[in-house]
Amino acid sequence: MQSERLFKDAPVWRAISALVGPSILSVLVMVIYNMTDLFFIGLLQDTAQTAAVAVVGPVFTLAAAGATVLGMGGCAVVAGSLGAGDLQDARCISSLCGWCSILVGVILTVVLNLFCEPILSLLGTNDEILPYATDYLRILAIGAPAMIFSVSAATLLRADGAIRRGLVGNLAGSITNILLDPLFILGFGWNIAGAAVATMIGNLVASGLYLNHILFHSEALSLCPSDALRHPTRLGRVLALGLPNGVSSLLSGLAGSFSNRLLSAYGTNALAAMAAADKSAMVVTLVQMGICMGLQPLLAYNVGGHNFPRLRAVLNRSFGLTVGFGTLFTLFCLLAQQPLIGLFLSDPEAISLARQLLPWLLAGSPLLGLYYLGINFLQAAGYAGIATLLSALRQGVLLVPALYGFHSLLGLPGLASARTATDLFSAVIALLLFVLVWRKLTNNKLRPFHNTL
């Protein structure tokens, strides 16, 4: 199988590059994909529509939490099962994840359309933004099943070693969205609704390509209902291992909603400025996240096979990669902040606010990769509970109080500096937990991975 050749036999740097290279490329495409909506909406020179994207964002961050739980949890369990030589369990897990992602998407479609306006009101939407946010949310909600399936399936393909096919699916969906955005937003005059339609079609294209691989090209992955029904209780282990990433997305969405409510007191320009600054800083976070998520199946496979010398070699190189890329992309964003922010905003006041916020958002970025690497290592080692607590610490336990505390001290810049403070503190905690678990793992005090799955 592809996974055995790559995870077990390939030279360490070759295995890392085979996983991390496509993952970083996918992330960079995702960055462009995420920026495209805001870029073409920005060309409308309407800060209310730019702000609407920011207001709706936390809703789909929460939706992505479900996809992340299934995808990352499924990836860890499938890779560990393959490392332990249990093909049938891998097929069972992948089928459970696939069907659950579709079901969650359908439920989300119904809930968001039924309760659209109350949800937007809770998120701090004002009368100027509400019509645009309503259109954007309702259309994206219709495409929720495809969005959640595409996110979870893309992650499962990595556990199968199908790196290239996963990359093709990601590229195809993103490029479809990028090409359709100017046509729908500007050409057809659909404005923000056009961005939502383009996103929905892009997710459908990606889902179709992932389905093709699972149904016709994979021995380890399945969508056969009988495989899912063989051991449905295995879903519990998937949820436990995926929960750290899901908690991170869930609490990030909640923290975003609190932040938006505080920002709304400063007006539409402040909401638009934070949206632009967030998009500009996103490249650093997503690159480091992409490196660590790309490595997770390699970590899980070697923990499952008890190949600790290879695991050590992978981890040693991973630390340098995350910090190096984090520093490089942070410097790029700081030096290019004027053109980056100018991609999304034309209003001088909003641009000025965004330039105040961006350096604060980037201050802790070079070390954020240590946090993501710690989370993925803890998941691979079967320490789902600790990984979940670490995620909750960064995105909820620390961040929400920090938003209010730093805001009371610094005003508007405090909403950005609060994120930097929690990022740095969480990175330190992640590093300490990593050292503790590694010592237990190498002293054979940790339960064998395949027995915990």
Side-chain angles (χ1 to χ4, degrees):
M1 287 184 292
Q2 297 178 72
S3 57
E4 183 171 1
R5 291 195 299 271
L6 180 63
F7 300 156
K8 182 180 178 182
D9 301 324
V12 172
W13 270 120
R14 185 182 301 171
I16 290 174
S17 62
L19 291 164
V20 169
S23 185
I24 290 177
L25 182 57
S26 295
V27 162
L28 292 176
V29 171
M30 188 184 303
V31 169
I32 297 170
Y33 158 80
N34 276 281
M35 287 181 171
T36 301
D37 282 359
L38 207 62
F39 171 72
F40 286 107
I41 290 170
L43 292 180
L44 299 171
Q45 298 187 1
D46 184 351
T47 53
Q49 295 194 57
T50 302
V53 175
V55 168
V56 173
V59 177
F60 286 91
T61 302
L62 297 176
T68 303
V69 168
L70 293 168
M72 294 302 294
C75 178
V77 179
V78 168
S81 297
L82 292 174
D86 193 343
L87 179 63
Q88 291 305 310
D89 189 60
R91 291 180 61 83
C92 170
I93 294 299
S94 58
S95 183
L96 280 169
C97 291
W99 286 107
C100 284
S101 65
I102 294 170
L103 178 61
V104 169
V106 171
I107 292 172
L108 198 62
T109 298
V110 174
V111 170
L112 290 179
N113 275 287
L114 284 177
F115 302 103
C116 178
E117 292 193 8
I119 289 170
L120 290 174
S121 177
L122 285 173
L123 293 173
T125 307
N126 59 33
D127 291 339
E128 184 183 6
I129 299 170
L130 183 60
Y132 302 117
T134 301
D135 289 345
Y136 193 56
L137 178 59
R138 288 190 185 279
I139 296 169
L140 287 177
I142 294 171
M147 182 200 79
I148 293 179
F149 178 81
S150 67
V151 172
S152 59
T155 311
L156 287 172
L157 261 65
R158 289 205 300 269
D160 191 30
I163 311 302
R164 187 170 299 174
R165 289 184 181 273
L167 178 61
V168 168
N170 182 281
L171 287 172
S174 299
I175 291 171
T176 298
N177 188 0
I178 291 167
L179 293 175
L180 291 179
D181 262 341
L183 178 64
F184 291 168
I185 296 171
L186 304 175
F188 292 173
W190 292 352
N191 299 329
I192 195 172
V197 174
T199 298
M200 181 173 62
I201 294 173
N203 286 329
L204 286 168
V205 169
S207 294
L209 291 171
Y210 299 143
L211 273 172
N212 178 266
H213 173 79
I214 293 170
L215 296 176
F216 303 112
H217 300 283
S218 177
E219 295 177 36
L221 304 181
S222 170
L223 279 176
C224 180
S226 61
D227 284 327
L229 294 173
R230 186 180 294 119
H231 297 293
T233 56
R234 297 289 283 134
L235 183 63
R237 189 59 185 167
V238 171
L239 298 178
L241 286 177
L243 195 58
N245 300 90
V247 164
S248 180
S249 296
L250 176 67
L251 293 177
S252 176
L254 289 174
S257 67
F258 284 116
S259 178
N260 283 341
R261 290 185 70 85
L262 291 171
L263 281 165
S264 64
Y266 294 91
T268 300
N269 276 344
L271 283 162
M274 182 63 86
D278 271 336
K279 293 292 185 184
S280 300
M282 180 189 298
V283 61
V284 187
T285 301
L286 289 182
V287 165
Q288 293 182 90
M289 186 188 299
I291 291 171
C292 298
M293 290 175 66
L295 288 170
Q296 196 205 40
L298 182 60
L299 299 176
Y301 187 97
N302 285 286
V303 174
H306 297 169
N307 191 347
F308 298 137
R310 184 173 175 84
L311 182 63
R312 181 193 294 272
V314 171
L315 288 168
N316 285 340
R317 290 157 175 80
S318 302
F319 277 107
L321 279 176
T322 56
V323 175
F325 273 94
T327 302
L328 180 66
F329 279 89
T330 296
L331 290 174
F332 166 78
C333 290
L334 285 171
L335 293 173
Q337 60 178 297
Q338 178 72 26
L340 279 174
I341 293 169
L343 290 173
F344 315 117
L345 299 172
S346 57
D347 184 276
E349 182 186 351
I351 291 173
S352 176
L353 288 172
R355 293 196 65 182
Q356 292 177 43
L357 297 170
L358 183 57
W360 285 105
L361 292 174
L362 292 170
S365 294
L367 298 179
L368 189 56
L370 299 178
Y371 163 81
Y372 288 118
L373 187 59
I375 288 284
N376 282 276
F377 172 73
L378 290 169
Q379 288 175 290
Y383 268 43
I386 295 177
T388 302
L389 289 174
L390 183 56
S391 293
L393 184 71
R394 173 177 174 247
Q395 296 287 9
V397 176
L398 291 175
L399 181 55
V400 173
L403 285 171
Y404 285 92
F406 277 75
H407 177 253
S408 66
L409 292 172
L410 302 174
L412 181 58
L415 297 176
S417 57
R419 300 188 196 185
T420 293
T422 54
D423 285 349
L424 290 173
F425 187 81
S426 299
V428 171
I429 298 298
L431 191 59
L432 292 174
L433 289 172
F434 169 86
V435 171
L436 177 64
V437 172
W438 174 256
R439 287 177 178 173
K440 289 185 177 181
L441 187 68
T442 52
N443 289 333
N444 295 318
K445 294 178 181 178
L446 189 68
R447 291 176 297 163
F449 184 79
H450 65 273
N451 289 339
T452 68
L453 295 180

